[in-house]
């Protein structure tokens, strides 16, 4: 199947040259004219050219087709100028059937500069002689092959010929098409065609070889053995496996870079976005008013490019939908499914059917089964992941062989990770098609069960590493399986509630680290709802996780209820880690609510239990929590003692998350003691470690505290920048308790900038947030906030009351 994008790759369709076409007569006339002009007889010309008089006679009567070598001999004998040589050659090449000429396109090739340069470098006569462009359907192999052949045709004296493999049902058909293309119609074997080609360099492009892979391989092998004049370029989803074959993998178009929230990191065009914009009907295009797309549209285009994996055919199909959908609407629609993408002359075939549907029946049963099963993986997977789905039905070696066949057929993409380990994935359009096949297969539920259990085991193993020096590796493992974790949980909620609850318990520290408070809490709630009749030992940790995430979102009522449910479900013995964690969570809830005495008592109780149970991780965590309670109360010496003990123990254990938190707490304690230099050192170390391990809350809070140090040190520009980033990050995380402190600090900065109205607006926003979550100003921050408020009142004077009311109205609106 041809993969040319945007037009019919066969000019003239299936039209064939007629035997009555006057092309040979034209050559005969030209040859006769040149001979007579020089006063040569047929015999004299024959002697000069090294040809018989009979051969010259047959050529002039149009009874023989000249080879390229014969043309050269005649042109030399006739001593023709370059323009005369070209004219004589044109009379012969013009007789090539139109379907054997390269397709012509009405648009430029987009985003393939490097790929095209690589191909053109390879297209040299005799080295290499067989180049196969491989890649999934719709990736643009045909367009690249045509562009490369056009760019390199000057290197091939006999020109370029084009064949479509799908139009040949067997070797005889392909040989006949090849014979017509090289001007030896009637030749019935590859050897005969090879003999007719001569020694002039010829470039042959065979498109869509996977439609008749064995036929193309057999003909190409014989042709390369029969003549050294031919170089062959093949487009195929898989290699021919012919001696001397050079593979050129054609990847999807490069994608725009995205931030974690899905927004484009810059507005520079990527190849994928350029192709989409060139084909889409976009408001603001140059043919309208010349304005570039809006930022929202740019972000939506970036999402679309990622949703279709940069596959050119899919990009064009998506671009065609812009006559119906607005860009943002289209991006939202495609995020759910690619089923709206259709292509073909009548736009009546689904994209998935074009790209894979025609080839799926040709796969073996093992290949079909594996491809369907692999659709459960939303992201990359490894060979171990593949084996997990096979269970006892196939050995690891059998699974490996089947996987390698799917990779060879461009149905599975291999992408090595940063450590060089092999990982694999399905393009989304292939995955959605494969998922439909899985739904039709027997044992679909068995596969879902294996998948969920496998992902649950992977998450459980990674969760152990989250408490040590391997936190980055463990977190990266969960990052790479983020969507798989979602799918496993979604499946388990319906079919295996025990696994769903286990998945919640395995992910809580990763959710905390990456700031997935909202999605994690929703997942925990769903698992708890579906598993409400499951054993208490499974439900209790999930309640604690849900309560912990509610706390991080400053939902104290919800957190209190959830944690208490978990505490009630744990065994009555206080020696369990779950019991200790529940007490600690209740202490943290009391801490943010300002109940410092209750908070300290609960953390002390948890600390004693952790020490008694010989739980060093729990001990370090509670020392850190007691440090926070102490500095919030203004008990700075006590805070420093707890913080140092937490830091020392966590460092011994390699618990980098607790180390980062302890450094930030100690830095905060130091700045309240007035030690700005010590605070700067500690906070910067905490910030660096938080960034290294990807601890979003740690980064945001460290920036806030460093911003305070900057203001107190007189560096207001740095302070303003840091507070702005901190506020934005806390807003994204949903931590409203810490947002109030950042807003108060921004008010202090506004006062420093002689902007009392701005300061008053920030104070009002902070007050409103505190009312919403029902918390007081932390005791240690009261004096600083009162000072800011006093300065605002002094600067605004009699207008303070009106300004406050106005600020409240604006913030409410």
């Amino acid at each position: 199947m041809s993969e040319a994008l945007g037009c019919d790759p066969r000019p003239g369709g299936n039209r064939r040259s007629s035997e009555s076409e006057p092309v040979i007569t034209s050559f005969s006339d030209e040859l006769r004219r040149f001979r007579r002009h020089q006063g040569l007889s047929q015999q004299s010309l024959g002697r000069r050219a090294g040809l018989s008089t009979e051969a010259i006679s047959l050529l002039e009567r149009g009874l023989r087709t000249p080879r390229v070598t014969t043309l050269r001999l005649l042109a030399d004998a006739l001593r023709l100028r370059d323009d005369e040589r070209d004219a004589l050659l044109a009379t012969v090449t013009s007789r090539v059937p139109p379907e054997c000429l390269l397709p012509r396109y009405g648009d430029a090739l987009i985003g393939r500069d490097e790929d095209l340069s690589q191909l053109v470098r390879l297209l040299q006569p005799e080295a290499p002689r067989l180049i196969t462009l491989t890649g999934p359907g719709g990736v643009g192999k045909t367009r690249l092959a045509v562009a490369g052949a056009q760019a390199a045709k000057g290197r091939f004296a006999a020109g370029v010929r084009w064949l479509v493999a799908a139009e040949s049902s067997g070797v005889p058909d392909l040989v006949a098409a090849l014979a017509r293309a090289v001007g030896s119609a009637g030749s019935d074997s590859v050897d005969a065609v090879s003999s007719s080609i001569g020694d002039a360099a010829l470039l042959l492009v065979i498109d869509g070889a996977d439609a008749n892979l064995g036929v193309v391989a057999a003909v190409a092998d014989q042709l390369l053995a029969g003549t050294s004049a031919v170089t062959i370029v093949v487009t195929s989803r898989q290699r021919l496996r012919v001696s001397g074959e050079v593979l050129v993998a054609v990847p999807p178009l490069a994608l725009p870079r995205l931030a974690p929230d899905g927004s484009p990191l810059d507005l520079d065009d990527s190849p994928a976005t350029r192709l989409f914009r060139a084909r889409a009907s976009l408001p603001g295009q140059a043919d309208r008013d010349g304005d570039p797309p809006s930022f929202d549209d740019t972000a939506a285009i970036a999402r679309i490019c990622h949703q279709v994996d940069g596959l050119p055919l899919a990009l064009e199909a998506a671009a065609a939908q812009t006559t119906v959908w607005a860009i943002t609407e289209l991006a939202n629609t495609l995020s759910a499914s690619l089923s709206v993408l259709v292509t073909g002359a009548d736009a009546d075939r689904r994209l998935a059917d074009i790209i894979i549907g025609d080839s799926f029946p040709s796969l073996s049963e093992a290949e079909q089964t594996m491809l369907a099963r692999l659709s459960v993986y939303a992201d990359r997977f490894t060979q171990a992941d593949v084996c997990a789905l096979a269970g006892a039905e196939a050995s690891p070696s059998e699974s490996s062989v089947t996987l390698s066949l799917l990779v060879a057929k461009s149905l599975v993409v291999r992408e090595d990770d940063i450590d060089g380990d092999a990982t694999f994935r399905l393009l989304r359009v292939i995955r959605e098609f494969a998922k439909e096949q899985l739904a039709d297969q027997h044992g679909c539920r068995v596969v879902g069960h294996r998948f969920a259990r496998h992902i649950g085991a992977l998450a459980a193993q990674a969760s152990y590493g989250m408490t040590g020096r391997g936190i980055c590796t463990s977190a990266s493992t969960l990052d790479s399986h983020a969507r798989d974790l979602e799918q496993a949980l979604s499946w388990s909620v319906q079919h295996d509630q025990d696994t769903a609850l286990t998945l919640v318990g395995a992910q809580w520290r990763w959710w905390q680290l990456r700031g997935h408070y909202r999605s994690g809490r929703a997942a925990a709630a769903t698992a708890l709802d579906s598993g409400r009749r499951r054993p208490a030992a499974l439900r209790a940790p999930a309640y604690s996780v849900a309560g912990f995430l509610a706390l991080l979102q400053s939902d104290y009522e919800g957190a209190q209820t959830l944690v208490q449910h978990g505490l009630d479900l744990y065994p009555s013995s206080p020696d369990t880690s779950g019991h200790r964690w529940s007490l600690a969570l209740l202490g943290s809830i009391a801490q943010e609510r300002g109940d410092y005495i209750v908070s300290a008592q609960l953390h002390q109780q948890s600390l004693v239990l952790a020490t008694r149970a010989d739980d060093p991780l729990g001990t370090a965590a509670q020392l850190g929590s007691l440090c926070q309670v102490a500095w919030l109360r203004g008990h700075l010496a006590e805070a420093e003692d707890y913080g140092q003990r937490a830091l020392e123990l966590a460092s011994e254990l390699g618990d980098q998350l607790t180390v980062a938190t302890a450094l930030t707490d100690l830095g905060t304690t130091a700045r309240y003691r007035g030690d700005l230099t010590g605070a700067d050192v500690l906070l910067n170390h905490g910030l660096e470690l938080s960034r290294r391990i990807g601890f979003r809350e740690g980064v945001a809070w460290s920036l806030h505290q460093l911003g305070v140090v900057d203001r107190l040190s007189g560096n207001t520009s740095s302070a303003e920048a840091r507070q702005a980033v901190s506020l934005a990050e806390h807003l994204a995380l949903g931590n409203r308790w810490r947002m109030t402190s950042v807003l108060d600090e921004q008010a202090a900065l506004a006062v420093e900038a002689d902007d009392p109205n701005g300061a008053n607006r920030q104070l009002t926003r902070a007050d409103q947030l505190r009312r919403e979550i029902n918390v007081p100003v932390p005791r240690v921050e009261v004096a600083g906030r009162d000072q800011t408020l006093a300065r605002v009142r002094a600067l605004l004077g009699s207008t303070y009351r009106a300004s406050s009311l106005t600020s409240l109205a604006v913030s409410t609106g």
Side-chain angles (χ1 to χ4, degrees):
M1 182 189 73
S2 172
E3 295 178 28
L5 306 180
C7 71
D8 187 343
R10 301 182 298 277
N14 293 319
R15 181 169 55 86
R16 297 288 186 265
S17 298
S18 169
E19 293 181 1
S20 63
E21 292 183 21
V23 290
I24 301 300
T25 302
S26 175
F27 167 76
S28 303
D29 290 344
E30 286 295 293
L31 177 61
R32 191 181 304 111
R33 182 175 68 82
F34 281 126
R35 179 179 62 78
R36 289 175 177 174
H37 179 71
Q38 296 192 24
L40 297 173
S41 65
Q42 289 182 346
Q43 185 178 18
S44 299
L45 178 59
R47 282 197 301 270
R48 282 191 183 184
L51 302 171
S52 67
T53 302
E54 181 184 4
I56 299 297
S57 175
L58 290 172
L59 289 170
E60 288 192 351
R61 286 184 290 157
L63 299 178
R64 175 174 290 182
T65 301
R67 302 176 185 172
V68 175
T69 51
T70 303
L71 282 170
R72 284 181 172 177
L73 293 172
L74 290 170
D76 290 342
L78 292 168
R79 301 182 175 89
L80 299 182
R81 301 188 308 270
D82 288 343
D83 59 331
E84 292 172 330
R85 283 173 177 267
D86 292 342
L88 186 62
L89 180 62
T91 63
V92 177
T93 57
S94 64
R95 66 181 173 74
V96 176
E99 68 272 16
C100 296
L101 296 173
L102 287 177
R104 294 184 179 181
Y105 300 96
D107 50 21
L109 183 65
I110 296 175
R112 292 294 188 190
D113 294 347
E114 292 185 10
D115 299 318
L116 181 59
S117 296
Q118 178 190 10
L119 178 57
V120 173
R121 283 195 301 270
L122 291 172
L123 287 176
Q124 302 282 352
E126 298 185 5
R129 297 184 56 214
L130 175 60
I131 302 167
T132 302
L133 304 184
T134 62
V139 81
K141 301 184 291 291
T142 297
R143 285 297 303 262
L144 181 59
V146 171
Q150 286 283 11
K153 66 180 180 180
R155 302 170 183 171
F156 297 87
V160 182
R161 300 294 185 271
W162 167 269
L163 296 178
V164 179
E167 295 179 352
S168 302
S169 59
V171 171
D173 279 352
L174 188 58
V175 171
L178 178 60
R180 288 194 300 272
V182 300
S184 61
S187 298
D188 59 358
S189 70
V190 178
D191 289 340
V193 173
S194 299
S195 298
S196 70
I197 289 175
D199 59 2
L202 173 71
L203 178 58
L204 175 64
V205 182
I206 304 178
D207 186 44
D210 43 276
N212 279 299
L213 195 69
V215 170
V216 174
V219 170
D221 194 26
Q222 293 181 59
L223 188 60
L224 292 172
T227 174
S228 61
V230 174
T231 297
I232 305 175
V233 172
V234 173
T235 71
S236 176
R237 298 178 190 182
Q238 56 184 312
R239 64 187 304 170
L240 300 186
R241 300 189 182 279
V242 170
S243 177
E245 180 180 24
V246 173
L247 297 181
V248 176
V250 182
L253 293 177
L255 296 165
R257 295 186 306 125
L258 297 182
D261 63 358
S263 61
L265 287 173
D266 54 53
L267 299 181
D268 292 338
D269 279 346
S270 67
T273 57
R274 289 205 305 274
L275 178 61
F276 181 85
R277 285 175 173 163
R279 302 292 187 267
S281 175
L282 297 177
Q285 282 184 318
D287 60 347
R288 298 187 181 189
D289 57 15
D291 294 330
S294 68
F295 181 83
D296 287 343
D297 279 354
T298 298
I301 291 171
R303 287 171 55 204
I304 291 170
C305 292
H306 278 265
Q307 286 160 353
V308 300
D309 294 303
L311 204 62
L313 187 62
L315 285 166
E316 293 206 343
Q321 294 294 326
T322 57
T323 59
V324 179
W325 302 86
I327 296 297
T328 302
E329 290 177 327
L330 180 60
N332 293 337
T333 299
L334 294 180
S335 67
S337 171
L338 300 182
S339 61
V340 300
L341 299 183
V342 293
T343 189
D346 301 321
D348 57 355
R349 294 191 67 192
R350 291 189 318 156
L351 185 68
D353 294 330
I354 294 290
I355 290 177
I356 184 177
D358 294 338
S359 62
F360 187 78
S362 66
L363 300 178
S364 68
E365 182 179 354
E367 290 170 332
Q368 290 183 357
T369 299
M370 177 174 284
L371 186 65
R373 289 177 173 180
L374 291 177
S375 66
V376 299
Y377 288 111
D379 289 301
R380 296 181 180 184
F381 50 87
T382 64
Q383 290 199 49
D385 297 327
V386 175
C387 292
L389 297 185
E393 298 171 21
S395 67
S397 60
E398 291 171 331
S399 294
S400 179
V401 168
T402 305
L403 177 63
S404 67
L405 291 172
L406 293 175
V407 172
K409 295 176 181 180
S410 301
L411 293 171
V412 174
V413 178
R414 172 175 171 165
E415 294 179 344
D416 293 354
D417 63 19
I418 58 175
D419 296 322
D421 296 328
T423 63
F424 308 87
R425 71 183 179 96
L426 299 183
L427 297 179
R428 186 178 169 202
V429 64
I430 295 177
R431 185 172 68 250
E432 289 193 2
F433 177 90
K435 188 166 289 187
E436 294 174 1
Q437 312 313 309
L438 179 63
D440 294 337
Q441 289 185 4
H442 296 297
C444 176
R445 183 162 179 167
V446 172
V447 174
H449 183 77
R450 289 175 184 169
F451 168 70
R453 288 292 177 93
H454 174 64
I455 294 299
L458 182 148
Q461 182 178 3
S463 69
Y464 293 124
M466 293 291 292
T467 58
R469 292 181 175 86
I471 187 171
C472 291
T473 300
S474 297
S476 294
T477 297
L478 296 177
D479 291 340
S480 64
H481 285 279
R483 288 195 294 164
D484 292 329
L485 288 163
E486 291 178 11
Q487 290 194 176
L489 185 60
S490 177
W491 188 91
S492 300
V493 162
Q494 298 181 48
H495 306 289
D496 185 359
Q497 290 76 30
D498 288 6
T499 297
L501 292 166
T502 302
L503 277 165
V504 169
Q507 294 182 75
W508 73 269
R509 221 178 194 215
W510 176 63
W511 284 334
Q512 176 196 15
L513 190 74
R514 295 295 190 247
H516 299 324
Y517 306 160
R518 186 176 295 106
S519 59
R521 184 181 176 186
T526 303
L528 284 166
D529 182 62
S530 67
R532 54 187 175 274
R533 293 185 177 86
R534 305 313 301 154
L538 289 173
R539 288 184 291 130
Y543 272 117
S544 297
V545 170
F548 176 58
L549 296 171
L551 165 64
L552 294 175
Q553 290 183 296
S554 310
D555 177 8
Y556 304 115
E557 293 295 336
Q560 184 88 25
T561 301
L562 289 165
V563 173
Q564 191 62 55
H565 274 312
L567 185 59
D568 293 341
L569 289 173
Y570 282 117
S572 57
S573 170
D575 292 332
T576 64
S577 59
H579 185 96
R580 296 194 296 274
W581 189 34
S582 296
L583 292 176
L585 289 175
L586 292 173
S588 296
I589 295 169
Q591 167 194 306
E592 294 190 11
R593 282 178 153 176
D595 297 332
Y596 301 122
I597 295 177
V598 172
S599 175
Q601 289 173 343
L602 288 166
H603 284 303
Q604 282 284 4
Q605 187 178 351
S606 183
L607 174 63
V608 169
L609 293 173
T611 304
R612 183 186 302 164
D614 193 20
D615 176 10
L617 284 172
T619 300
Q622 294 319 302
L623 288 170
S625 295
L626 286 165
C627 172
Q628 292 176 9
V629 176
W631 68 253
L632 283 167
R633 299 174 71 182
H635 297 179
L636 303 181
E638 185 180 340
E640 190 166 19
D641 177 60
Y642 281 129
Q644 287 180 355
R645 290 165 60 191
L647 180 60
E648 290 169 2
L649 183 53
S651 297
E652 289 176 10
L653 298 169
D655 185 3
Q656 296 183 74
L657 183 58
T658 303
V659 168
T661 303
L663 286 168
T664 303
D665 288 335
L666 284 169
T668 302
T669 303
R671 76 101 169 163
Y672 277 118
R673 288 193 293 102
D675 179 9
L676 299 185
T677 301
D680 186 73
V681 171
L682 289 164
L683 290 169
N684 270 300
H685 275 82
L687 175 62
E688 179 184 355
L689 181 55
S690 293
R691 282 176 169 160
R692 191 189 315 153
I693 65 177
F695 180 24
R696 290 182 66 184
E697 185 75 69
V699 170
W701 191 242
S702 296
L703 285 173
H704 164 65
Q705 295 294 345
L706 281 167
V708 177
V709 172
D710 283 340
R711 176 178 63 83
L712 295 175
S713 302
N715 191 355
T716 55
S717 59
S718 175
E720 289 172 353
R722 281 173 161 166
Q723 296 301 345
V725 174
S726 179
L727 182 64
E729 185 68 349
H730 280 117
L731 180 61
L733 292 169
N735 192 324
R736 293 174 289 173
W737 180 66
R738 284 189 161 161
M739 279 178 63
T740 61
S741 296
V742 180
L743 289 169
D744 282 346
E745 181 58 24
Q746 286 188 322
L749 285 166
V751 170
E752 295 285 346
D754 199 24
D755 179 15
N757 286 307
N760 195 48
R761 283 194 297 271
Q762 299 300 71
L763 291 171
T764 303
R765 288 179 63 193
D767 284 343
Q768 183 180 2
L769 269 181
R770 288 190 176 103
R771 283 193 295 271
E772 289 176 2
I773 61 178
N774 192 26
V775 296
V777 177
R779 185 181 300 173
V780 74
E781 296 177 9
V782 170
R785 190 180 190 282
D786 285 348
Q787 185 180 2
T788 301
L789 183 58
R791 292 184 64 183
V792 169
R793 286 173 172 167
L795 288 169
L796 290 178
S798 60
T799 63
Y800 170 73
R801 173 66 176 167
S803 178
S804 297
L805 292 173
T806 302
S807 296
L808 178 60
V810 169
S811 63
T812 303

